[in-house]
């Protein structure tokens, strides 16, 4: 089974519509209350697990860890668990007869390959950053990291999930990357960048370029923990080896505090459009040629 992105987004939009939620930030606790769900904060989660759904008598509940990295992470986790509650087949699968609690790996698009977890992440992404409300915010901000900050501020989400949303919605050629100690964990590309076959190359587990702002930050952990930013201009071919040699890219990198990762936004304003269909053997098991498919941001390499 692959993750049902369309269904996940549609379900989230349906919840917003039904509850007449038309402004940001979306109040996830209000949704919990209006769905009459039980809610519990718990300090005894296993390491790196932050949320759960549970059965409480005739009803269901959500549980969130007291050890979430931040309020934004906590909101995302609650939204993810709301996804498990609302999405078809999830509760049946997570809480089969005789099972009263299921912890889950709310991922911020990190490493989960379980389609149910991916669907709950997509649901959370749409619930917290609905396209209709997110687009105007992005459009009123400068491209790159400023748009990610604006989105994260307005929607009260983590920078990394705002960045993934930004890549999915922007018309600009953008890549966002998450690195841990300078090693790439995932890349999300905008549609305008995905048009270029060289941009689809699998970069997971590669190093960030030596002279990059990302590497500079990664080499200075206190700066990562302090949430500092670094900016530089570089060449696209330093990030994507097969990119045309002269394409300049603006690189903004920001430390993600106690999460320990660096989030990087690459923006290439002068990258020409691909006008014709380019036939090329690209990718390492990457997406099918329909670059418009919003799934691209979840097939993280
Ligand atoms: Zn989950």
């Amino acid at each position: 089974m692959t993750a049902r992105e369309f269904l996940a987004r549609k379900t989230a939009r349906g919840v917003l519509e039904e509850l007449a939620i038309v402004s940001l930030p979306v109040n996830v606790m209000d949704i919990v209350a209006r769905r009459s769900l039980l809610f519990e904060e718990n300090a005894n989660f296993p390491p790196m697990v932050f949320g759960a759904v549970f059965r409480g008598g005739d009803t269901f509940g959500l549980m969130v860890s007291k050890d979430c990295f931040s309020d934004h992470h906590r909101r995302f986790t609650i939204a993810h668990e709301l996804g498990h509650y609302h999405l078809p087949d999830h509760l049946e699968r997570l809480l089969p007869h005789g099972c009263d609690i299921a912890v889950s790996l709310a991922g911020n698009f990190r490493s989960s390959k379980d389609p149910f977890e991916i669907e709950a992440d997509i649901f959370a992404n749409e619930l917290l950053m609905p396209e209709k409300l997110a687009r105007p915010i992005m459009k009123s901000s400068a491209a790159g990291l400023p748009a990610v900050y604006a989105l994260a501020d307005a929607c009260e989400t983590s920078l990394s999930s705002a960045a993934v949303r930004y890549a999915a919605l922007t018309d600009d050629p953008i890549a966002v990357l998450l690195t841990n100690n300078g090693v790439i964990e995932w890349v999300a590309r905008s549609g305008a960048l995905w048009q270029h076959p060289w941009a689809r190359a699998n970069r997971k587990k590669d190093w960030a370029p030596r002279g990059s702002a990302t590497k500079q930050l990664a080499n200075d952990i206190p700066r990562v923990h302090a949430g500092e930013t670094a900016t530089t201009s570089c060449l696209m071919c330093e990030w994507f080896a097969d990119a045309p040699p002269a394409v300049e890219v603006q690189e903004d990198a920001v430390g993600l505090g106690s999460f320990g990762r660096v989030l990087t936004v690459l923006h290439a304003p002068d990258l020409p459009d691909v006008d014709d269909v380019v036939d090329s053997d690209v990718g390492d098991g990457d997406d099918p040629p329909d670059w418009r498919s919003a799934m691209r941001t979840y097939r993280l390499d």
Side-chain angles (χ1 to χ4, degrees):
M1 174 186 164
T2 51
R4 300 163 296 180
E5 170 166 20
F6 182 79
L7 178 71
R9 293 203 179 278
K10 191 175 151 209
T11 306
R13 283 196 297 271
V15 172
L16 294 168
E17 222 165 89
E18 190 190 331
L19 300 181
I21 296 168
V22 290
S23 62
L24 299 172
V26 172
N27 185 338
V28 287
M29 287 310 293
D30 182 51
I31 300 176
V32 171
R34 289 166 77 186
R35 291 299 195 217
S36 304
L37 294 167
L38 303 171
F39 183 79
E40 212 178 286
E41 278 203 283
N42 194 304
N44 299 312
F45 274 85
M48 297 308 286
V49 176
F50 301 96
V53 284
F54 65 95
R55 200 192 302 274
D58 291 339
T59 186
F60 292 101
L62 314 182
M63 205 180 278
V64 65
S65 167
K66 287 189 171 168
D67 296 327
C68 284
F69 297 114
S70 63
D71 278 353
H72 291 173
H73 181 219
R74 185 174 176 277
R75 273 170 61 72
F76 187 90
T77 304
I78 295 168
H80 172 105
E81 301 307 330
L82 282 169
H84 286 315
Y85 174 73
H86 285 96
L87 285 162
D89 313 324
H90 278 230
L91 289 178
E92 292 81 347
R93 190 222 184 196
L94 293 172
L95 297 173
H97 190 68
C99 171
D100 288 332
I101 180 162
V103 296
S104 80
L105 301 169
N108 276 324
F109 310 92
R110 276 177 294 137
S111 53
S112 179
K113 294 283 189 269
D114 180 331
F116 282 83
E117 298 304 335
I118 295 171
E119 284 177 12
D121 276 354
I122 295 171
F123 175 97
N125 185 265
E126 184 74 36
L127 190 80
L128 297 175
M129 292 174 280
E131 180 171 353
K132 239 189 249 175
L133 302 176
R135 266 192 197 281
I137 290 163
M138 286 165 36
K139 286 195 169 159
S140 61
S141 309
L145 196 56
V148 174
Y149 271 120
L151 203 54
D153 277 354
C155 301
E156 294 188 1
T157 64
S158 69
L159 282 177
S160 53
S161 51
V164 169
R165 191 64 167 145
Y166 173 56
L169 295 179
T170 183
D171 298 326
D172 293 319
I174 294 284
V176 299
L177 309 94
L178 196 76
T179 51
N180 189 11
N181 291 320
V183 177
I184 296 172
E185 291 191 327
W186 54 252
V187 184
R189 304 146 179 91
S190 67
L193 187 65
W194 184 256
Q195 289 184 73
H196 299 269
W198 48 259
R200 302 176 200 169
N202 191 340
R203 298 299 325 270
K204 190 176 175 180
K205 296 187 182 159
D206 288 348
W207 289 94
R210 191 183 292 261
S212 62
T214 303
K215 198 78 202 314
Q216 218 183 84
L217 271 187
N219 288 341
D220 196 343
I221 294 299
R223 289 184 69 196
V224 173
H225 285 182
E228 287 192 26
T229 57
T231 292
T232 189
S233 286
C234 51
L235 293 173
M236 191 59 104
C237 59
E238 293 175 65
W239 288 91
F240 295 95
D242 295 331
V247 175
E248 280 194 21
V249 65
Q250 171 81 26
E251 179 199 358
D252 293 324
V254 56
L256 295 182
S258 58
F259 188 35
R261 269 70 167 179
V262 172
L263 179 74
T264 303
V265 183
L266 303 176
H267 176 215
D270 301 326
L271 187 67
D273 278 349
V274 172
D275 293 317
D276 304 314
V277 175
V278 180
D279 189 17
S280 167
D281 56 332
V282 290
D284 298 281
D286 229 322
D287 275 8
D290 181 10
W291 59 268
R292 289 170 189 85
S293 160
M295 273 310 288
R296 65 187 175 270
T297 49
Y298 303 103
R299 293 288 301 275
L300 304 168
D301 62 27

